[in-house]
Amino acid sequence: WSKMEILDLLGGTSFQGLAVGDCVGSQYGRTTHLASGFGQVLYDGHKLNANLGVSVFNGNYRHHNDANGEKSEWVHGWGMTVKSGLLYHLTGKAQAFVNLGYNNRLPYAGVYLQSNGHPLANKVTNEENLMAELGTRINWQGGSLELSGYAANWKNKTMTQSLAARANEQKDKYQITGMDAMHMGLELSVSQRIAPWMKVSAFANLASWKWTSSGNAISYDNYNGESLETYAIYCDGLHVGDAPQTQIGAQADFTLQHGFYANVSWQFNDRMYADFEPSDRRSQDLPDAYRFPSWNIVDATLGWNAQLTDNMHIDIFATGRNITDSHYIERGKDGAAHDLETFRGYWGAPRTLSVGMKLSW
């Protein structure tokens, strides 16, 4: 059930002509029936391990109108997922692996039920994702390394605007179909025990995540669900936002005498772009979304743990987050000029110090 009800006028007499107890924005319910089946085959040999999994799922949705009690017709959808993996033992300490996956996923129920009223979205098409990963793992005395590369091709991404966003921005609901994206990257992690009391680890993630096609948007009236406008949007070549596409980090863990321990970590983030509203991209000439400045984060913890009794364990610790007090952007939405001045979002937390204690038994 989704209901935006006025609970308090905060001293006012009405809100858009409505009083306490009235609903604004949405007042509807949804019935969802889901069914799925899954099967898996495993092979475990001396040199080769393999698995194959297949799942099939079905979704059925119906819309309810609180205002008049009417119910929509049922709408149905089917999807499936196929995942497989191979692991080959090159030597006793080295393995190579490959993973493949195909996902034909039902869009969320809100895509089928396009408005606060009954009309059902037409020509709903499943999203598809084809993924491949290839890599190797190597182990040695006190250490390990894993290197992998991946590619994921997203097809026909379908997006709608949330109720909260519409209430905030006073926008009509939209639905976007036909959006494709390609995610590619390399991931490296390595660790080594330097001494019985010290272990170091490091990682690097380098990615290229871009939209590879444009699509079409349809706007709907918030109340009666009628189509208002159909227009083309242009996202081909734009970076996918809301995640850093370059990450490098390292950590050192220390196990000291008499139950004391410590760790310190550093992480560098770069090539992160602001999230953006695809429905606003109505011109081919618009630049990429705002790219955040790169930033570094240093965290550290010092603690002590001990076994108080046979059944009780204590852990006392002090933690510092963002010790260097880096000024950085956590996340946010792209602005009209695609720069910092028009960007709207959240700054990351400043230097934060905390102490804590855990008792477990």
Side-chain angles (χ1 to χ4, degrees), residues 47 88-96 136:
K47 280 284 190 177
Y88 185 75
H89 297 269
L90 301 170
T91 67
K93 296 184 177 181
Q95 301 92 34
T136 183

Short mmCIF file of all heavy atoms in Angstrom, two decimals, residues 47 88-96 136:
data_model
loop_
_atom_site.label_atom_id
_atom_site.label_comp_id
_atom_site.label_asym_id
_atom_site.label_seq_id
_atom_site.Cartn_x
_atom_site.Cartn_y
_atom_site.Cartn_z
N LYS A 47 40.78 -31.84 -11.22
CA LYS A 47 41.33 -30.62 -11.80
C LYS A 47 40.28 -29.56 -12.09
O LYS A 47 40.58 -28.37 -12.11
CB LYS A 47 42.06 -30.96 -13.11
CG LYS A 47 43.45 -31.52 -12.95
CD LYS A 47 44.44 -30.42 -12.60
CE LYS A 47 45.87 -30.88 -12.67
NZ LYS A 47 46.82 -29.79 -12.39
N TYR A 88 39.46 -24.14 -12.84
CA TYR A 88 40.47 -25.13 -13.23
C TYR A 88 41.71 -24.95 -12.36
O TYR A 88 42.25 -23.83 -12.23
CB TYR A 88 40.84 -24.97 -14.69
CG TYR A 88 41.78 -26.04 -15.19
CD1 TYR A 88 41.33 -27.33 -15.45
CD2 TYR A 88 43.13 -25.75 -15.40
CE1 TYR A 88 42.19 -28.31 -15.89
CE2 TYR A 88 44.01 -26.72 -15.85
CZ TYR A 88 43.53 -28.01 -16.09
OH TYR A 88 44.40 -28.99 -16.52
N HIS A 89 42.17 -26.05 -11.76
CA HIS A 89 43.34 -26.02 -10.90
C HIS A 89 44.59 -26.16 -11.76
O HIS A 89 44.93 -27.26 -12.22
CB HIS A 89 43.26 -27.14 -9.86
CG HIS A 89 42.11 -27.01 -8.93
ND1 HIS A 89 42.17 -26.33 -7.73
CD2 HIS A 89 40.82 -27.45 -9.03
CE1 HIS A 89 41.00 -26.37 -7.12
NE2 HIS A 89 40.16 -27.05 -7.90
N LEU A 90 45.28 -25.06 -11.97
CA LEU A 90 46.51 -25.08 -12.78
C LEU A 90 47.61 -25.82 -12.05
O LEU A 90 48.31 -26.67 -12.62
CB LEU A 90 46.94 -23.65 -13.10
CG LEU A 90 45.92 -22.80 -13.86
CD1 LEU A 90 46.38 -21.35 -13.91
CD2 LEU A 90 45.74 -23.34 -15.28
N THR A 91 47.80 -25.49 -10.76
CA THR A 91 48.75 -26.17 -9.89
C THR A 91 48.08 -26.29 -8.52
O THR A 91 46.90 -25.95 -8.36
CB THR A 91 50.07 -25.37 -9.75
OG1 THR A 91 49.80 -24.14 -9.04
CG2 THR A 91 50.66 -25.04 -11.12
N GLY A 92 48.81 -26.74 -7.55
CA GLY A 92 48.24 -26.84 -6.21
C GLY A 92 47.94 -25.49 -5.60
O GLY A 92 47.16 -25.40 -4.65
N LYS A 93 48.56 -24.43 -6.13
CA LYS A 93 48.38 -23.10 -5.54
C LYS A 93 47.83 -22.07 -6.50
O LYS A 93 47.75 -20.88 -6.16
CB LYS A 93 49.72 -22.60 -4.98
CG LYS A 93 50.27 -23.45 -3.85
CD LYS A 93 51.54 -22.86 -3.28
CE LYS A 93 52.04 -23.67 -2.09
NZ LYS A 93 53.28 -23.09 -1.51
N ALA A 94 47.48 -22.48 -7.70
CA ALA A 94 46.97 -21.52 -8.69
C ALA A 94 45.74 -22.09 -9.39
O ALA A 94 45.70 -23.27 -9.73
CB ALA A 94 48.06 -21.20 -9.72
N GLN A 95 44.75 -21.24 -9.57
CA GLN A 95 43.54 -21.63 -10.28
C GLN A 95 43.17 -20.55 -11.29
O GLN A 95 43.48 -19.37 -11.11
CB GLN A 95 42.36 -21.80 -9.30
CG GLN A 95 42.57 -22.82 -8.21
CD GLN A 95 43.14 -22.21 -6.96
OE1 GLN A 95 42.83 -21.09 -6.62
NE2 GLN A 95 44.00 -22.96 -6.28
N ALA A 96 42.49 -20.96 -12.34
CA ALA A 96 41.90 -20.05 -13.31
C ALA A 96 40.39 -20.28 -13.30
O ALA A 96 39.93 -21.41 -13.11
CB ALA A 96 42.47 -20.28 -14.70
N THR A 136 42.11 -15.25 -12.32
CA THR A 136 43.02 -16.24 -11.75
C THR A 136 43.23 -15.95 -10.28
O THR A 136 43.15 -14.78 -9.84
CB THR A 136 44.37 -16.23 -12.49
OG1 THR A 136 45.20 -17.26 -11.96
CG2 THR A 136 45.07 -14.89 -12.33
#
